Amino acid sequence: VRLRQTGQENNMATDKTKRITSIGGSALIEGIMMRGPKRTTVAVRMGEDDIYTEDLPFKSLAQRFKIFRVPLIRGVGGLIDSMRLSFKALSLSAEKAMDSIPEDEQEQPSKFEKWIDRVFGDKFMKVLMIFASVIGVALAIGLFFVLPTWLYNITSNAATFLQGNMLFRSVFEGVLRIGLFLLYVILCTQMSDMKRVFQYHGAEHKTIFCYENEEELTVENVRRQSRFHPRCGTSFLFVVVIISILVFSLVSLRVGLWDNPWVRIGLRLLLLPVVVSISYEINRWVGRHDNLCSRILSAPGKWLQRLTTNEPDDSMIECAIRALELVIPEEKGSDAW
């Protein structure tokens, strides 16, 4: 009954709030990270009645270097900060989630794992996490940059009339990137562990909406909020894909040697900071305004959130509330967007 009521309440929820906060967060493994103007906190569900919390010491690039506060540059700094912070938060949540599993339910380590732990200790896990991150970035570049170019080359070789059509090539590769991105998200939704992460993602959005509506942070109040937030990172990624199509299409009409696939891949990697910066400014503007234009721009991202957010249970909402409460600044209004 509770799930049915939640769905009805979500249909009534809107994006209009009494305030717009700069506080944001991300879903973790059995937990949530919330980042405020002065504090960043991770909250991990350790048991039915236990939520572990820990502050993450973090100094953003904008705090360290003034240049990263400049429009069209701050977006790159923000992306780098998000990647660094997400890596630290995910590592912590994975460690604590593993600790919460009873010893009799944990798999016994193999002789090789015992030897690794004895020789390298915690350093090995840190190196392994860094290695996994590097592999992840390499796979993303291969999937979204190299693969579309390679597939176009195969298609154009089979259909010679397509060769030399720069605009068609850019649109073809761009549409293919959107398709690959959506396929990747859809495949993630089929994984049982990711479904729980998406539930925590929904809890994060609902809790921030509750705070922005200036309602008391209770499970009941949070539960009836919308899980589709206009300033979500998922929306940002979708905007990045769209902007990349436009930027790469414009550049393809002006740059020579575009027939060389390695030149195309190299230029796209060089233009990635430009794409990220433009996308960041668009997402920032959309988050601050509520008009026809902002609703049109945010619509695709919120549609995509139907895949990347699920309705959370009460224990997940409690975790999100705990994380948010710890990062709310004492000075009222200092967290304004």
Side-chain angles (χ1 to χ4, degrees):
V1 174
R2 177 172 292 171
L3 289 176
R4 286 199 296 269
Q5 290 175 341
T6 301
Q8 291 171 356
E9 288 161 348
N10 279 336
N11 290 335
M12 298 170 61
T14 67
D15 294 341
K16 293 183 179 180
T17 55
K18 294 181 179 179
R19 75 168 88 182
I20 299 177
T21 182
S22 63
I23 295 175
S26 63
L28 306 172
I29 300 172
E30 294 301 324
I32 284 176
M33 175 191 72
M34 287 288 185
R35 182 181 178 186
K38 293 185 177 180
R39 293 179 66 182
T40 299
T41 298
V42 168
V44 181
R45 172 65 67 178
M46 299 288 289
E48 186 176 347
D49 301 314
D50 185 19
I51 298 175
Y52 174 85
T53 61
E54 181 176 329
D55 278 4
L56 289 182
F58 185 80
K59 196 169 184 179
S60 69
L61 289 174
Q63 292 173 314
R64 295 163 60 186
F65 307 103
K66 290 183 179 180
I67 191 172
F68 286 105
R69 303 173 200 169
V70 178
L72 292 179
I73 296 179
R74 58 190 175 189
V76 176
L79 179 62
I80 295 173
D81 286 340
S82 296
M83 293 176 67
R84 290 168 53 214
L85 200 53
S86 296
F87 176 80
K88 295 174 66 173
L90 276 171
S91 300
L92 177 61
S93 68
E95 177 187 339
K96 295 303 175 182
M98 184 64 67
D99 292 343
S100 67
I101 301 176
E103 290 188 10
D104 57 341
E105 296 181 14
Q106 295 184 14
E107 292 184 8
Q108 294 301 315
S110 64
K111 291 182 179 180
F112 177 72
E113 289 173 327
K114 290 179 179 178
W115 179 81
I116 289 291
D117 185 59
R118 185 173 63 253
V119 175
F120 298 100
D122 294 336
K123 292 182 180 178
F124 176 76
M125 288 306 299
K126 291 180 180 179
V127 172
L128 186 62
M129 288 291 289
I130 293 173
F131 177 74
S133 300
V134 172
I135 293 297
V137 172
L139 287 174
I141 291 174
L143 185 64
F144 295 107
F145 288 87
V146 179
L147 182 59
T149 298
W150 180 71
L151 289 176
Y152 176 82
N153 288 339
I154 293 177
T155 305
S156 62
N157 289 334
T160 55
F161 67 91
L162 295 178
Q163 296 179 2
N165 191 327
M166 304 300 181
L167 183 59
F168 178 83
R169 172 184 289 164
S170 298
V171 173
F172 176 91
E173 293 181 6
V175 171
L176 191 56
R177 284 190 188 89
I178 294 177
L180 290 170
F181 178 68
L182 292 176
L183 179 62
Y184 171 78
V185 172
I186 291 171
L187 289 176
C188 286
T189 63
Q190 304 306 307
M191 301 168 61
S192 58
D193 290 341
M194 286 304 298
K195 288 180 180 179
R196 289 191 61 82
V197 172
F198 290 158
Q199 284 183 281
Y200 275 104
H201 192 190
E204 176 226 328
H205 285 188
K206 284 171 168 283
T207 306
I208 291 177
F209 260 134
C210 187
Y211 173 67
E212 291 182 321
N213 281 315
E214 298 184 351
E215 297 183 26
E216 184 182 1
L217 291 174
T218 64
V219 172
E220 191 68 31
N221 286 341
V222 170
R223 192 189 303 127
R224 58 191 177 82
Q225 306 295 326
S226 171
R227 74 177 199 264
F228 310 124
H229 205 285
R231 294 183 299 283
C232 173
T234 306
S235 302
F236 172 74
L237 289 176
F238 194 83
V239 172
V240 166
V241 175
I242 299 299
I243 295 299
S244 68
I245 295 175
L246 297 175
V247 172
F248 297 157
S249 297
L250 290 174
V251 173
S252 69
L253 298 176
R254 304 295 301 175
V255 177
L257 299 179
W258 200 252
D259 285 330
N260 189 315
W262 296 109
V263 171
R264 294 206 305 276
I265 293 170
L267 282 173
R268 285 182 174 127
L269 291 175
L270 289 174
L271 287 169
L272 191 56
V274 177
V275 171
V276 168
S277 297
I278 296 173
S279 303
Y280 176 86
E281 298 301 331
I282 290 175
N283 221 43
R284 186 179 178 89
W285 183 86
V286 168
R288 283 185 169 185
H289 297 82
D290 181 20
N291 52 47
L292 179 60
C293 183
S294 65
R295 287 193 289 271
I296 291 174
L297 289 172
S298 65
K302 285 192 285 187
W303 175 84
L304 192 60
Q305 288 177 48
R306 295 182 180 276
L307 298 175
T308 62
T309 62
N310 293 331
E311 287 296 332
D313 60 33
D314 289 355
S315 67
M316 296 172 179
I317 293 175
E318 289 172 354
C319 195
I321 291 174
R322 180 73 63 84
L324 179 58
E325 287 176 336
L326 293 174
V327 302
I328 295 175
E330 294 181 0
E331 306 86 0
K332 189 173 181 180
S334 63
D335 63 319
W337 176 264

